Amino acid sequence: MLGKDVELGKDVELDNDVNPEKDAEASNKEENEEEIDETPSAPKRVRFEPKVARQTTLDKLEGVVRTNQRRAPRPRSLNTTAKPSETSKRLQTSMRFWLLSLGIGVGQASWYIILLFMTSISVSVGLDVHNAAIVLGAINGASAVGQFIAGYAADTIGPVNSLVVFTFVATVSNCILFVPNLSFRVLLAYACVCGASIGAADPLAVIAGVTQFGRARAAKTTGLVYASVGGLVTVAAPVARVIQHKVGPAGFTSVYVFVIALFSLSTVLLVLLRLRISRKLAFRV
């Protein structure tokens, strides 16, 4: 029994002597490996990690910006009223353009005939030169007032409808010239009504062109419209003078009829423009 105890004791002592050394060697190896791993990696973290993180952040921001640019909605065209099919074809082939251009041109031709004959008409009914000049100044001043009225009318009922209304008023106002024994007050009232109605046509022509053919072609539309105005005025004014000479130096009735006929034609053309626009809108709906 004692021998066995001694042998068991030896075994215990051997086990106690061997296990601590193995554990110490194992722990030393692990500490040495951790020191070897940490020594080269620590400077890399300190030296390179901020740059890598900064570059990663910049890459992410660039990706966000590119994504937002792809997702950004396309800007809407300012030309909201122009037909898509008319963007590729010329204005000269558009019926609406010709109705607008001729409607404005004929009305403006009538207006210039009135300015041409206003002084002669005033003198022919018995006014002196001073009062005739007042009537001529009133018709020009009223045209300036009509341009302010045109803006409110265009916002209320639309530019094309306003053109129809003002041109019709100008047509009716010229019937005052048929009143027998025209006085200064009657001619002054005529000058104010006719001048204001025709003066409104200038800004309304530009606004109507923009609403029908787009803001991008506003300058081109306005230039072509007033080119037709110039051509019609060049033709209509000499024709009115020829008509006046054919009837007689003192006879202005034929000139009145010619002016009213031109204003009526202008009104009809603008009404046709309004109907054509309404038909196009009905087809779209």
Side-chain angles (χ1 to χ4, degrees):
M1 295 294 293
L2 291 173
K4 291 181 180 180
D5 292 335
V6 171
E7 290 177 357
L8 290 172
K10 287 180 180 180
D11 294 336
V12 170
E13 287 179 0
L14 289 173
D15 293 336
N16 291 333
D17 291 336
V18 172
N19 289 335
E21 292 178 357
K22 290 181 179 181
D23 293 338
E25 289 179 358
S27 63
N28 289 331
K29 287 181 180 180
E30 290 177 358
E31 289 178 359
N32 291 331
E33 290 177 356
E34 290 178 357
E35 289 178 0
I36 291 172
D37 294 337
E38 291 178 358
T39 302
S41 61
K44 290 182 180 178
R45 292 195 189 99
V46 174
R47 184 179 300 173
F48 297 107
E49 186 175 0
K51 293 183 179 180
V52 174
R54 189 182 301 111
Q55 187 63 37
T56 304
T57 304
L58 292 175
D59 293 338
K60 290 181 180 180
L61 290 175
E62 289 179 359
V64 171
V65 172
R66 291 172 184 172
T67 304
N68 292 334
Q69 288 177 352
R70 294 193 202 100
R71 295 178 181 177
R74 295 181 179 178
R76 293 182 178 179
S77 176
L78 296 176
N79 184 10
T80 57
T81 58
K83 293 175 57 179
S85 60
E86 286 189 357
T87 57
S88 58
K89 69 179 182 178
R90 299 168 62 87
L91 286 173
Q92 290 84 346
T93 60
S94 173
M95 181 60 67
R96 290 185 299 152
F97 168 75
W98 282 112
L99 291 174
L100 176 63
S101 181
L102 293 177
I104 297 296
V106 173
Q108 291 295 314
S110 306
W111 163 248
Y112 281 99
I113 292 173
I114 292 297
L115 293 179
L116 178 63
F117 285 94
M118 195 70 249
T119 304
S120 300
I121 292 171
S122 300
V123 173
S124 67
V125 297
L127 299 182
D128 57 8
V129 178
H130 177 71
N131 289 332
I134 291 176
V135 172
L136 184 61
I139 197 169
N140 283 284
S143 66
V145 176
Q147 294 181 4
F148 289 98
I149 301 174
Y152 293 99
D155 291 337
T156 304
I157 61 176
V160 178
N161 294 333
S162 300
L163 277 172
V164 174
V165 171
F166 283 113
T167 307
F168 178 75
V169 171
T171 305
V172 174
S173 66
N174 280 274
C175 296
I176 298 175
L177 297 174
F178 288 98
V179 175
N181 300 323
L182 289 172
S183 63
F184 172 72
R185 293 182 179 178
V186 174
L187 282 177
L188 191 62
Y190 161 76
C192 292
V193 175
C194 183
S197 58
I198 294 302
D202 285 333
L204 288 175
V206 178
I207 299 172
V210 171
T211 56
Q212 293 303 311
F213 304 104
R215 188 180 300 177
R217 293 188 290 179
K220 183 178 180 180
T221 304
T222 305
L224 291 174
V225 167
Y226 280 96
S228 67
V229 170
L232 291 172
V233 169
T234 304
V235 174
V239 170
R241 179 64 71 181
V242 169
I243 292 173
Q244 192 265 339
H245 281 294
K246 289 292 183 180
V247 174
F252 291 98
T253 304
S254 58
V255 177
Y256 301 159
V257 173
F258 183 59
V259 169
I260 292 175
L262 290 179
F263 273 123
S264 301
L265 178 59
S266 175
T267 305
V268 170
L269 290 172
L270 293 174
V271 169
L272 291 176
L273 172 64
R274 175 68 269 177
L275 293 176
R276 187 171 183 83
I277 294 171
S278 300
R279 189 178 69 177
K280 293 295 183 182
L281 292 176
F283 284 156
R284 289 181 187 178
V285 175

